[in-house]
């Protein structure tokens, strides 16, 4: 049994194979082909934070595959009333075939996985967002082929998305320039692991030079709503606008995991402009996670 708590739970070859499979599954769906390898299977989904894309992509993916997805929130389950994680994991895994968890502390999903008898998928924690990277890398591959040897630039907060980009850089062999304000750099542990693949910048323009892909994310992640005002002033020089995009290669792509705030981390003319591939990136959550579900559950 395999869990998917971070990208590094996969080998680099498995990561690449999932991207290829995601592209195949997308084509099958476009051709109207029915493929139902998960008939009678149940995916339980625990959301301790909000979600649009993650919830809908997993739910739709399970429906396409002939299975079923259950949405569980702490508001109306015993999870919100203090039932221990260990107990919840034991019980939920006795009734379902796979469990997706979106939560705060990464340690929580690790504890959950230890006590689960079925595969656990990370649907985002404070530390990482590995499912999003499957979709981002699929999108890159569709537009530009192999990412090995390319340069990607992360602009903004050294957050969960940035950490997963650092994992992907090391696994797929691309260079990652990271431009963050002081005090908002990625966690040391992740920087240490990816040290041969990353370069830290304080200047966004320098970080975008010779870059093939520019990526950003919200300035205040879920759980940091109280810091929104203070972060807005610190991060203001890090907005991805057309001027900043000009420092990258002319054919550079722009990605954002969404939800986005136009006028904050990205200008409207970039996210809605010709270099942006955010809608493919969002749709690919569906195809990439179907490839992941198949990998974890169909043997
Ligand atoms: N990108 C992403 O994970 O979106 P949701 O928060 O809507 O799931
Ligand atoms: N960094 C963001 C990603 C949302 C998909 C957050 O954690 O809120």
């Amino acid at each position: 049994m395999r869990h998917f708590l971070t990208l590094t739970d996969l080998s680099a070859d498995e990561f690449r194979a999932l991207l290829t499979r995601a592209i195949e599954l997308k084509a099958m769906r476009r051709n109207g082909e029915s493929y139902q390898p998960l008939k009678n299977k149940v995916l339980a989904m625990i959301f301790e934070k909000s979600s649009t894309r993650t919830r809908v992509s997993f739910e739709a993916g399970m429906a396409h595959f002939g299975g079923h997805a259950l949405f569980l929130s702490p508001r109306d389950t015993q999870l919100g009333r203090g039932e221990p994680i260990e107990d919840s994991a034991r019980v939920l895994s006795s009734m379902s075939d796979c469990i997706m968890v979106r939560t705060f502390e990464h340690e929580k999903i690790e504890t959950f996985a230890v006590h689960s008898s079925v595969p656990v998928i990370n649907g985002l924690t404070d530390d990482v967002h590995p499912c999003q990277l499957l979709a981002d890398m699929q999108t890159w591959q569709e537009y530009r082929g192999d990412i090995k040897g390319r340069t990607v630039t992360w602009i903004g907060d050294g957050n969960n998305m940035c950490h997963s980009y650092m994992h992907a850089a090391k696994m797929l062999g691309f260079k990652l320039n990271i431009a963050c304000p002081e005090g908002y750099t990625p966690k040391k542990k992740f920087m240490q692991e990816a040290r041969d693949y990353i370069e830290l910048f304080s200047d966004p323009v320098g970080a975008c030079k010779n870059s093939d892909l520019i990526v950003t994310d919200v300035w205040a992640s879920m759980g940091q709503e109280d810091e929104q005002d203070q972060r807005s002033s610190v991060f203001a020089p890090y907005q991805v606008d057309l001027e900043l995009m000009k420092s990258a290669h002319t054919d550079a792509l722009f990605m954002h995991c969404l939800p986005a705030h136009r006028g904050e981390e990205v200008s409207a003319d970039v996210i809605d402009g010709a270099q942006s591939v955010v809608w493919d990136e969002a749709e690919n959550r569906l195809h990439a996670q179907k490839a992941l579900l198949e990998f974890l559950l169909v043997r």
Side-chain angles (χ1 to χ4, degrees), residues 156-158 180-187 227 230-231 234-235 238:
D157 192 14
C180 305
E182 212 185 308
Y184 296 90
T185 51
K187 281 191 180 176
E227 300 172 31
Q230 173 240 336
R231 282 172 171 260
V234 176
F235 282 93
Y238 291 79

Side-chain angles (χ1 to χ4, degrees), residues 1 38-44 62 68 92-99 116-120 293 296-297:
M1 184 188 61
L38 298 185
K39 269 207 178 109
N40 301 321
K41 301 274 188 205
V42 173
L43 170 72
M62 283 303 289
H68 185 78
L92 288 173
S93 63
S94 73
M95 301 178 192
S96 56
D97 302 282
C98 188
I99 303 175
S116 168
S117 56
V118 300
V120 175
L293 289 166
L296 295 174
L297 299 178

Side-chain angles (χ1 to χ4, degrees), residues 47 49-57 102 123-124 129 131-132 161 217 222 256-259 281-282 285 289:
F47 282 97
K49 290 174 173 170
S50 304
S51 169
T52 297
R53 280 145 288 270
T54 306
R55 176 178 177 180
V56 175
S57 53
R102 170 170 282 197
L124 180 148
H129 193 6
C131 287
Q132 184 68 51
M161 275 297 299
D217 187 13
M222 290 180 277
H256 186 312
C257 65
L258 308 178
E281 183 187 2
R285 292 294 303 277
Q289 287 157 202

